[in-house]
Amino acid sequence: MNKKFKFGRFFVYLFLIVASFLAIFPFYWMFVMATRPSAAYNSIPPTITPGDKLVENFQAVLEKIPFFGAMFNTLIVCLVVTLVVLLISSLAGFAFAKFRFPGKNIFFISILLTMVIPPQLGLIPQYFLVAKFGLLDTLFGAMIIFFLNPLGIFLMRQYIAQSIPDELIEAAKLDGCSNFRIFRSIVLPIILPAFATLGIIVFTATWGEFLWQFTVLRDPDMYTIQVALSSMNTTSNVDFGMLLSGVFWATIPLVIVFLMFNKLFISSITEGSVK
């Protein structure tokens, strides 16, 4: 029995190693191409070892686009959107999980139904609304449509409903705590793992957002990193070394954010599996 158990564990570890390699390899290949000239992109056999063009390719990126300015704009957009989504989602999730009010289930189902609507369908009316309020070519116009996140509300509602007993809320009310005091002193410390999970999801999704930002941003000084990188891609001549160098350095902040909050992210997953 022990041999069978060890044999099964070996295949589990082997599967995890292979899966990890497949997940990491695209990032490694992107790094390799960022250190090579453009011709290496189509070389046969493929190049899998780093070259010596990392600094040169990145200098070409800096000459082509305002890279650091675009990175700063993207960081501002992502941080604001993430903080607003966390605030709205946690408050709404708390209300849906612990409060009783008329139409509660209808409101909650209506919010969930918006998740099945493709965001491209709302592109034109959203554009006209943003243009009417004079928010074109502004970072606020690039982030405002992402403040309400149905997935975030759903995740927070489920986490709060399972993690915080009703008796704890009732006890706090008997002690004279207001609803906001209960949220700040009781709910917020308990849902920090869920905060980390949702924060990583929202930050990553906002960092990779392109269509809406490309639609509302025309001033190069307002470009986010995705829009700035797309401006380097021309139909006449594509420098893959330069392009992938920009993509590589634009991905580094996402890795840093995940490494900073991965413990809370894993904690939220393990707590959910135990419950």
Side-chain angles (χ1 to χ4, degrees):
M1 184 68 179
N2 192 28
K3 290 183 177 180
K4 290 182 179 180
F5 177 73
K6 290 183 179 179
F7 192 70
R9 179 184 293 182
F10 169 77
F11 277 101
V12 170
Y13 287 156
L14 180 62
F15 171 78
L16 292 176
I17 292 173
V18 173
S20 300
F21 174 78
L22 292 177
I24 295 174
F25 183 77
F27 186 79
Y28 171 76
W29 184 83
M30 179 173 60
F31 169 73
V32 170
M33 290 297 101
T35 63
R36 292 281 182 173
S38 182
Y41 182 82
N42 295 318
S43 63
I44 299 176
T47 304
I48 59 173
T49 57
D52 58 354
K53 300 288 186 181
L54 180 62
V55 176
E56 182 179 333
N57 286 335
F58 187 58
Q59 288 177 342
V61 173
L62 296 180
E63 294 173 359
K64 193 79 172 179
I65 61 172
F67 183 83
F68 291 111
M71 288 282 283
F72 179 76
N73 291 339
T74 307
L75 185 62
I76 294 298
V77 170
C78 291
L79 288 177
V80 172
V81 170
T82 301
L83 291 176
V84 173
V85 167
L86 289 177
L87 178 62
I88 294 177
S89 298
S90 57
L91 289 172
F94 178 47
F96 282 120
K98 298 301 178 182
F99 292 167
R100 295 181 179 178
F101 51 88
K104 169 183 171 180
N105 293 332
I106 295 177
F107 282 124
F108 186 65
I109 293 174
S110 300
I111 292 174
L112 294 184
L113 287 177
T114 61
M115 296 173 62
V116 304
I117 301 176
Q120 292 82 1
L121 292 181
L123 188 65
I124 295 177
Q126 288 169 346
Y127 177 84
F128 279 111
L129 284 175
V130 169
K132 184 176 181 180
F133 287 103
L135 297 178
L136 294 179
D137 269 336
T138 65
L139 294 182
F140 188 74
M143 67 178 77
I144 188 173
I145 69 168
F146 303 108
F147 286 163
L148 185 63
N149 191 304
L151 176 62
I153 295 175
F154 172 75
L155 290 177
M156 284 297 176
R157 188 261 183 191
Q158 297 301 105
Y159 195 90
I160 293 173
Q162 296 178 8
S163 302
I164 303 174
D166 294 335
E167 293 78 8
L168 186 60
I169 304 296
E170 295 298 328
K173 289 182 178 180
L174 291 176
D175 289 338
C177 293
S178 63
N179 290 328
F180 185 76
R181 177 67 183 277
I182 294 173
F183 173 80
R184 180 169 58 87
S185 301
I186 298 176
V187 176
L188 196 57
I190 296 176
I191 65 174
L192 284 180
F195 253 46
T197 302
L198 181 59
I200 291 175
I201 294 173
V202 173
F203 189 93
T204 304
T206 307
W207 191 277
E209 166 59 33
F210 170 74
L211 180 60
W212 174 251
Q213 295 170 2
F214 180 77
T215 303
V216 300
L217 299 178
R218 287 291 178 265
D219 184 359
D221 292 334
M222 292 290 106
Y223 278 178
T224 58
I225 191 61
Q226 303 300 335
V227 180
L229 290 175
S230 71
S231 67
M232 295 195 305
N233 189 11
T234 61
T235 56
S236 59
N237 184 23
V238 180
D239 188 339
F240 290 105
M242 177 186 66
L243 184 61
L244 290 174
S245 176
V247 174
F248 171 76
W249 291 110
T251 309
I252 296 298
L254 298 180
V255 178
I256 295 174
V257 168
F258 180 78
L259 293 177
M260 289 174 60
F261 298 100
N262 67 330
K263 290 185 178 179
L264 288 174
F265 179 77
I266 295 172
S267 174
S268 67
I269 296 175
T270 54
E271 287 183 12
S273 63
V274 171
K275 291 171 183 172

